[in-house]
Amino acid sequence: MNTRVLTGITTSGTPHLGNYAGAIRPSIQASRLPGVDAFYFMADYHALIKCDDPQRIARSRLEIAATWIAAGLDPEVVTFYRQSDIPEIPELCWMLTCVTAKGLMNRAHAYKAAVDQNVTRQQEADDGITMGLFSYPVLMAADILMFNANKVPVGRDQIQHLEMARDIGQRFNHLYGQGEDLFVLPEVQIDDEVATLPGLDGRKMSKSYDNTIPLFEGGAKGLSSAVMRIVTDSRQPGEPKDAQSSHLYTLYRAFSTAQDAAQFRKSLEEGMAWGDAKKQLCTLLEAELGPMREHYAELIARPDRIEDILQAGAVKARRFSQPLMERLREAVGLRSLSVAVPDGAKPTGKKNKEKQARFVSFRDEAGKFRFRLLGPEGQELLLSEGFADPKAAGQIMSLLKSQSLDNYATQEQGVVSVRVDQVLVSQFDAALLPELREAIAGMNQE
Ligand code: TRP
């Protein structure tokens, strides 16, 4: 089975060189590896926690989407979407909120840091802290668990959030899974090869330190004028420089081959002027970023095209999130009333059973009642037509559950039609028939 890799970027600013080298570039490389299914998204609900300027949020979503694409993300290969286009994410966030211990959230670094700051300033501990900030890790857990991600590549500052996502997912599995896991527990992926870039002043490049080098903003000129502002020591041209301790060298290395980096280092040690070193760095950066910048400008000029790409991405993503959400609603008891409700407590004797197929019912956008048959891995095997009467849908489901599919299926030109009392229930590709037969047979033995 493929490894599902998922990561998100909060859309509250303009992407800088550090975002590119630390997140975007390695993620795009990873998405091209065989055996990887990549899910990359824009965490725009998270952005609302940090930023209440609508203009800035809107602009940042556009810029970050365009950056991903200009940097080479292929939307055919990657499931690329906006968090806010997936309504199942906030829905899951609520379900998770209801099983998350408040004490767990009290321990979150970001929240604790905000409290500490208030205390230092002799303000009330929770001054200015929203529920959004407090619950940030739950929303992030929803992002990850919604798509059953195996690996989540992030920076070190996010490790705790991943641990919390595992905690929450595990608790939910325990409470509602009835012996089978509703969620995959994600693993954090910290790549030491991936560069954490220093900013102009040598501290980690970050918007909060105001030390960033813009990626595309300001064009080639913006890039070079930022590079010229990189802090160096006061050694004069001709004096040997200590490359290892120079941010300039760290930046250079992140964009060059090992060979060129060694050459650059040697030149510094032999006394290359800082000014010349900066020029070399500019040339190097420009070679990688120049062509992307052009593509970026084209994209930014046609936001409608990016919108189309993201809408298509949302459709792709919801193919996973919708069926899982139906399962989850079923699991927590938010079920259609027309399906018989067992009297009393939880059904028994189901623990540790093997993974099985299952029917889940839901109401579609037109208000019709439909159901899906999901395979043991939660994948959709069959989608029913819409029924006006929920009871009819319920009866058909129990009929299919208890009998051989062949009693109701006819096949014509590679398409199987399932009919009950002459009413069309569903049509699907005949190639799916064996899998469906087996899934239903498995349920019959219950
Ligand atoms: N919190 C992450 C950050 O600030 C962004 C993010 C939101 C994220 N949801 C996610 C990252 C899910 C990985 C997976 O960098």
Side-chain angles (χ1 to χ4, degrees), residues 28 40 55 109 141 169 175 246 259 308 333 335 344 375 385:
I28 291 174
Y40 299 155
Q55 236 53 32
H109 298 323
L175 281 172
S246 141
Q259 224 175 6
D308 288 346
R335 302 173 187 149
E385 299 290 316

Side-chain angles (χ1 to χ4, degrees), residues 6-10 41 43 46 50 83 136 139-141 143-144 152-155 157-158 161-162:
L6 177 145
T7 195
I9 297 184
T10 307
F41 70 98
H46 277 105
K50 297 187 190 163
Q83 187 185 32
Y136 186 110
L139 180 55
M140 184 157 158
D143 293 332
I144 298 168
V152 182
V154 281
D157 58 330
Q158 300 293 317
H161 289 152
L162 259 292

Side-chain angles (χ1 to χ4, degrees), residues 146-218:
M146 187 80 260
F147 294 99
N148 279 328
N150 304 106
K151 300 247 168 214
V152 182
V154 281
R156 292 192 179 278
D157 58 330
Q158 300 293 317
I159 294 178
Q160 190 195 34
H161 289 152
L162 259 292
E163 282 166 3
M164 290 178 162
R166 287 176 65 90
D167 256 26
I168 297 169
Q170 198 160 28
R171 177 152 171 78
F172 197 96
N173 280 345
H174 176 72
L175 281 172
Y176 294 116
Q178 305 214 9
E180 57 184 296
D181 290 339
L182 293 160
F183 296 128
V184 168
L185 300 184
E187 276 170 41
V188 67
Q189 189 178 330
I190 305 284
D191 193 342
D192 292 322
E193 295 288 293
V194 165
T196 305
L197 295 191
L200 299 177
D201 58 359
R203 289 184 292 172
K204 179 186 169 190
M205 192 182 294
S206 160
K207 210 172 37 183
S208 28
Y209 296 147
D210 196 22
N211 66 355
T212 60
I213 298 176
L215 184 59
F216 300 131
E217 208 187 27

